[in-house]
Amino acid sequence: MGSPEHERGVDSARVAAVAPILQTGCRAAPAARCASFAWTHEMPMLDPGAKLQAMVDGYLKGNIDDGEDGVGWLHAQSPRMLVDIDGRRRSWWAPRSSELLECLRVSPQAPAAVKAAALFLAGADGNGRTRQAALQRMDALAGRLTLSSALLRCNDWVPEVRVVAQQVVEVLLSRCSIDDVLAAWPLAVRLQDAQRVDADWRRDTLEGWLSAPSQRAVLGGLLVHRDSLTRLSAHAIAFDVHPERVAIRARALRDSDPRIARMAFQDLLDEGDPSQVVEQCSIALTAPSSQVRASALRTLVAHEVEGIDVFVEDALFDRARAVRSLAAFLVRQRHATPAIELWRSALAQQTAGRWRVALEALADHAVAEDVALLRSLYPRVTARHRRNCVRGWIRAEGGAGLALLRVALEEPGRSIHELLTHAQADWVAELDAPRLLAFCHDGPSPVAQTGLLRLLPHVPLWQHLELLLDAVPQRQDERAWHLRLVENWLRVSEGYSPLSAARRQALLTRLEHGGHDLSNAMAQRLAEAVRQA
């Protein structure tokens, strides 16, 4: 064997420890070995097959619960989990040896599932010789787990192991059932991005095998595989070699993975005849991918197909903003009824299946005349849609005035408060001392008061303080509210905010000379915060 890592064999002390373990359990093994493999105490009582099962369970300790069937657990793992198990097994701190292979040798009657599990674990050993020896036994035990192990080893860091792994993969592909190949194939797809794999072998052997007419059933299964990357890889091959390309493309246009849908649409444009383009673009208008829906709409408009105005109008109510914007542009080009009029109509009539999208669309394009409609809708829709009412209201008014603030603060949701924070300059301009004090008695609920307390710290610190000093409460409820406002300011006053000497002196003078209805203790706390700024 060529590489230094592969030449690292099992030293004589470890070899000497293997035989007593296999023959008499841990009694004759070193103390450290007994600590790592306490489960082998029971081995003298077991037949070779049960001993191999116990050994597999021991290697999987930490992955499975006590008493759980390790073999069944390993066979049930997804390809992604097998990659993780393989990586952890190779990085295991314990000394390497060939116990599993030795136990396999003396357990020819063990169930195939147990032997496959043992070979997978041996194939992930940190010793290159052990990995190679495990691979050389796998071709006689075709199955999902052995094929998965061989595919993983095709990216092994030891060249000699990679060569053997490639040979074993070729043999197993000819012997495994379709279900086993489908279960392990995500690991073959993973080799596309692997650094050490032989790219020519992967392309010519793996992809070449899958492209063969004799493997149509395997390719068909991969086209509907639950792993999206596996489906993507299979579609790339199917669009080149499968005789039912048109049907496959029609199904791929509606795939949940946008990469597959986009690939199918590009294949339609490149290879489809005009009748196929029109027919399958109509299908693509309902694709999960918004990019595919938009591309299909553009293509249908370019072909001036019959009923295109209906397609464009339907796209105005698409769930994706990008598709709606494209449809609005096409409406203007075609001099049809403006999109905003159709959205207003759907909202006014509460058109089933359309008004929710119409509200979101109107929020993107609202103008001043839409404020009344949005205000009337606000109390009648759910919290999710009230956010769009506020968003459109802000757009229509060019900002969030105090009237909007009073309404929106009644909504406890964080998303609406974020909108108000971004529009702070508009409502702050209208928020004077009397209106601030009126928040305690002029309509707003405790929810709105709490919301305002959250928003006020976003006002510039010293402007915020001056607003509080201007507010002189006259009623008992106003005094309690004013005290909450002052405490709220003190809570955020430690943050840095530039303060000129002149403004500092003006604030201190106001605090010292009174006229603000604050207690002496509170005035001193405020003055100290100003001095420390």
Side-chain angles (χ1 to χ4, degrees):
M1 305 294 288
S3 71
E5 190 280 341
H6 188 272
E7 292 294 333
R8 188 179 70 238
V10 181
D11 60 40
S12 57
R14 283 154 55 198
V15 171
V18 170
I21 291 174
L22 294 173
Q23 296 169 10
T24 62
C26 278
R27 291 192 300 271
R33 177 73 61 168
C34 287
S36 298
F37 299 99
W39 45 271
T40 57
H41 279 299
E42 302 297 326
M43 282 191 176
M45 306 293 294
L46 303 176
D47 62 61
K51 185 183 293 186
L52 184 60
Q53 166 90 47
M55 187 173 286
V56 169
D57 291 344
Y59 273 101
L60 291 174
K61 189 174 183 179
N63 293 292
I64 61 175
D65 297 329
D66 291 341
E68 186 176 359
D69 175 17
V71 171
W73 179 88
L74 189 59
H75 277 272
Q77 297 311 299
S78 66
R80 182 176 298 179
M81 188 62 183
L82 292 178
V83 172
D84 184 60
I85 295 169
D86 176 78
R88 280 185 285 165
R89 169 85 174 115
R90 285 187 288 104
S91 62
W92 193 28
W93 63 267
R96 313 297 182 180
S97 68
S98 54
E99 300 122 335
L100 281 167
L101 295 180
E102 290 295 327
C103 198
L104 270 166
R105 185 180 61 79
V106 299
S107 308
Q109 303 304 317
V114 178
K115 291 194 286 188
L119 283 174
F120 179 88
L121 293 173
D125 195 87
N127 187 295
R129 291 184 182 276
T130 302
R131 295 197 301 276
Q132 180 174 339
L135 285 167
Q136 290 168 337
R137 297 189 182 200
M138 289 181 189
D139 56 2
L141 198 64
R144 169 185 176 255
L145 211 52
T146 50
L147 179 58
S148 297
S149 180
L151 288 168
L152 286 169
R153 297 280 67 77
C154 287
N155 190 39
D156 199 275
W157 58 99
V158 178
E160 293 85 351
V161 175
R162 292 200 297 270
V163 171
V164 175
Q166 292 169 8
Q167 296 169 351
V168 173
V169 166
E170 294 175 31
V171 173
L172 291 178
L173 285 177
S174 66
R175 296 180 180 176
C176 283
S177 68
I178 292 178
D179 288 342
D180 288 336
V181 175
L182 294 179
W185 198 259
L187 296 174
V189 174
R190 185 173 177 268
L191 295 177
Q192 293 175 354
D193 300 320
Q195 295 179 350
R196 294 177 292 269
V197 71
D198 184 336
D200 292 336
W201 175 84
R202 179 188 59 77
R203 183 185 62 252
D204 298 338
T205 301
L206 285 185
E207 294 181 6
W209 177 85
L210 187 58
S211 301
S214 59
Q215 304 307 327
R216 289 284 184 263
V218 177
L219 182 57
L222 293 175
L223 290 173
V224 294
H225 200 281
R226 63 180 179 179
D227 178 70
S228 60
L229 192 59
T230 300
R231 293 201 308 277
L232 179 64
S233 176
H235 278 89
I237 294 174
F239 287 146
D240 284 337
V241 304
H242 205 290
E244 298 180 8
R245 181 178 196 157
V246 176
I248 291 172
R249 184 199 298 140
R251 185 176 60 204
L253 286 170
R254 292 189 290 260
D255 197 281
S256 59
D257 190 314
R259 297 170 298 179
I260 297 174
R262 291 196 298 266
M263 178 190 291
F265 192 82
Q266 190 59 51
D267 183 74
L268 172 65
L269 297 181
D270 294 342
E271 304 295 335
D273 60 45
S275 62
Q276 288 175 357
V277 170
V278 172
E279 178 187 354
Q280 295 197 330
C281 276
S282 301
I283 295 173
L285 288 175
T286 60
S289 167
S290 61
Q291 184 177 341
V292 169
R293 296 198 302 274
S295 298
L297 183 62
R298 285 194 197 93
T299 304
L300 289 173
V301 169
H303 282 73
E304 283 294 335
V305 299
E306 183 179 354
I308 188 60
D309 290 332
V310 175
F311 289 141
V312 173
E313 182 175 328
D314 287 344
L316 287 172
F317 296 91
D318 193 276
R319 59 187 179 275
R321 180 180 287 113
V323 180
R324 294 196 302 267
S325 297
L326 171 63
F329 169 74
L330 294 173
V331 162
R332 289 195 301 272
Q333 274 195 328
R334 303 175 69 80
H335 306 290
T337 304
I340 197 167
E341 293 294 339
L342 295 174
W343 292 327
R344 289 168 182 163
S345 175
L347 278 173
Q349 299 172 19
Q350 294 286 288
T351 305
R354 286 194 166 187
W355 74 266
R356 294 174 178 83
V357 173
L359 177 57
E360 183 176 345
L362 188 62
D364 293 331
H365 300 273
V367 295
E369 64 184 275
D370 295 310
V371 171
L373 175 59
L374 293 169
R375 291 190 69 168
S376 67
L377 284 171
Y378 185 88
R380 296 190 280 124
V381 295
T382 62
R384 173 186 173 186
H385 301 302
R386 285 199 287 271
R387 184 184 190 278
N388 283 324
C389 289
V390 172
R391 194 163 58 84
W393 192 347
I394 290 174
R395 177 182 174 84
E397 290 192 338
L402 191 60
L404 176 100
L405 178 73
R406 296 290 291 269
V407 172
L409 281 178
E410 298 291 344
E411 186 64 41
R414 179 186 301 173
S415 60
I416 288 183
H417 287 191
E418 289 174 352
L419 290 174
L420 296 175
T421 299
H422 294 312
Q424 135 193 335
D426 302 291
W427 56 260
V428 168
E430 298 181 21
L431 187 63
D432 55 17
R435 288 175 175 142
L436 184 63
L437 290 176
F439 257 82
C440 70
H441 55 72
D442 188 18
S445 68
V447 171
Q449 292 174 359
T450 301
L452 183 62
L453 289 173
R454 270 200 304 267
L455 286 175
L456 283 173
H458 295 284
V459 177
L461 188 64
W462 309 116
Q463 180 184 349
H464 184 179
L465 178 58
E466 288 167 347
L467 181 62
L468 297 182
L469 295 179
D470 290 340
V472 180
Q474 304 297 320
R475 300 164 36 165
Q476 186 58 39
D477 54 355
E478 290 180 347
R479 289 190 180 88
W481 169 241
H482 188 248
L483 183 60
R484 286 183 68 189
L485 293 171
V486 173
E487 293 284 1
N488 189 52
W489 184 89
L490 283 168
R491 182 177 55 82
V492 299
S493 64
E494 294 181 0
Y496 172 75
S497 183
L499 180 62
S500 66
R503 194 173 192 182
R504 185 195 307 272
Q505 187 56 49
L507 288 170
L508 290 173
T509 299
R510 290 191 66 179
L511 288 167
E512 290 170 2
H513 292 174
H516 42 62
D517 199 47
L518 293 170
S519 66
N520 290 335
M522 182 59 74
Q524 289 176 8
R525 289 177 64 189
L526 293 174
E528 185 62 24
V530 172
R531 291 190 189 96
Q532 292 180 359

